[in-house]
Amino acid sequence: MTATSGDYKTGNGPTGTYLNKSNTTFAPNDWHSANQIISTTAVRQQGGSLEIRQAARQLRNDTDSITNWGQHDNTTRLFDRMQDIVAWKDKLEQTIADTDEEIAQLTSHKERCETALTNMNTPFEVAQDNLATRSIRVAIDLVDDEVNQELVKEVEVIDGIKEKLKQKVNEAFQQLCALQDAYNAMCEDLADKMHCLDVDQQCHGLTN
């Protein structure tokens, strides 16, 4: 690089007086070199920009691919999940209906046992009254005859039947309580599944 510097000078040249403003000057090679550096830097920056754009494009493509696959996968899973919920919902509804029918039948059975228990009171009281009446016989007439023995057996049989009926009524009551608890729990579970199905159906309809 050729460069000169200095202050303003005046002098006489071949053609007369001249005014020379001294500035730094460069050789043509310097000028070409500087331009080449600028050009090279610009090209290098353009290459970096291209790499960034290509990387960004690849990232967008990868993101779209992942997103689309994720949506497809989630949609498939949601559909399968909804099918499972529907299957369980249908089974639960059938079980609720069966339990409701069982409660009705068991209630009817319990009521019949209670009626039969009530109906046992009259013959039981009659047999007891007969035994009490015959027990007031005196002396030789207080005989433990066949009639007396049959009355005793009748009281024992009726009393045994009453105890069994009471037991059946109690068992039916306990079973009805258990069935009612199960029925209520299934109804709550059914309501939860209906809500869950509604939520999954809304999610299934969403797209990115």
Side-chain angles (χ1 to χ4, degrees):
M1 176 179 69
T2 302
T4 60
S5 60
D7 298 328
Y8 290 101
K9 296 179 180 179
T10 44
N12 293 320
T15 57
T17 303
Y18 66 90
L19 179 65
N20 180 27
K21 180 183 179 182
S22 295
N23 286 324
T24 300
T25 60
F26 298 92
N29 288 339
D30 296 330
W31 181 79
H32 286 294
S33 295
N35 288 334
Q36 184 63 39
I37 291 172
I38 294 173
S39 177
T40 300
T41 301
V43 170
R44 185 165 53 248
Q45 294 296 333
Q46 290 173 2
S49 175
L50 178 61
E51 291 178 0
I52 292 174
R53 287 188 289 109
Q54 288 177 337
R57 185 183 300 110
Q58 183 62 44
L59 179 59
R60 290 197 306 272
N61 292 339
D62 292 344
T63 301
D64 290 343
S65 177
I66 292 172
T67 301
N68 292 335
W69 172 250
Q71 181 179 344
H72 172 75
D73 186 51
N74 289 334
T75 300
T76 302
R77 290 178 184 275
L78 276 172
F79 180 78
D80 293 341
R81 174 63 175 167
M82 287 190 295
Q83 293 298 102
D84 290 341
I85 294 175
V86 170
W88 277 108
K89 180 183 72 69
D90 292 343
K91 185 175 182 179
L92 197 55
E93 287 175 339
Q94 183 59 52
T95 305
I96 289 174
D98 293 342
T99 303
D100 189 49
E101 178 63 24
E102 182 63 25
I103 290 174
Q105 292 183 6
L106 188 57
T107 300
S108 177
H109 169 74
K110 174 176 172 289
E111 291 173 350
R112 288 196 301 271
C113 288
E114 290 172 336
T115 300
L117 180 60
T118 300
N119 292 339
M120 287 287 103
N121 290 334
T122 298
F124 184 73
E125 291 172 358
V126 170
Q128 282 187 320
D129 287 344
N130 286 335
L131 280 174
T133 300
R134 298 189 90 239
S135 69
I136 65 175
R137 291 174 297 167
V138 296
I140 193 64
D141 291 323
L142 187 59
V143 179
D144 186 21
D145 54 15
E146 185 177 351
V147 175
N148 204 71
Q149 293 173 1
E150 289 299 322
L151 284 172
V152 171
K153 288 181 180 179
E154 184 178 354
V155 169
E156 291 176 350
V157 169
I158 293 175
D159 189 53
I161 293 174
K162 287 180 65 177
E163 288 301 318
K164 289 181 179 179
L165 286 171
K166 288 179 182 178
Q167 182 180 354
K168 293 301 179 184
V169 169
N170 185 61
E171 290 175 355
F173 174 76
Q174 296 296 330
Q175 185 63 25
L176 279 172
C177 290
L179 282 172
Q180 191 62 53
D181 288 343
Y183 181 87
N184 293 339
M186 287 188 292
C187 287
E188 291 180 4
D189 191 33
L190 178 62
D192 292 341
K193 282 181 170 50
M194 294 294 292
H195 175 69
C196 182
L197 182 61
D198 181 61
V199 171
D200 283 349
Q201 285 176 336
Q202 292 182 37
C203 292
H204 188 263
L206 297 176
T207 57
N208 292 325

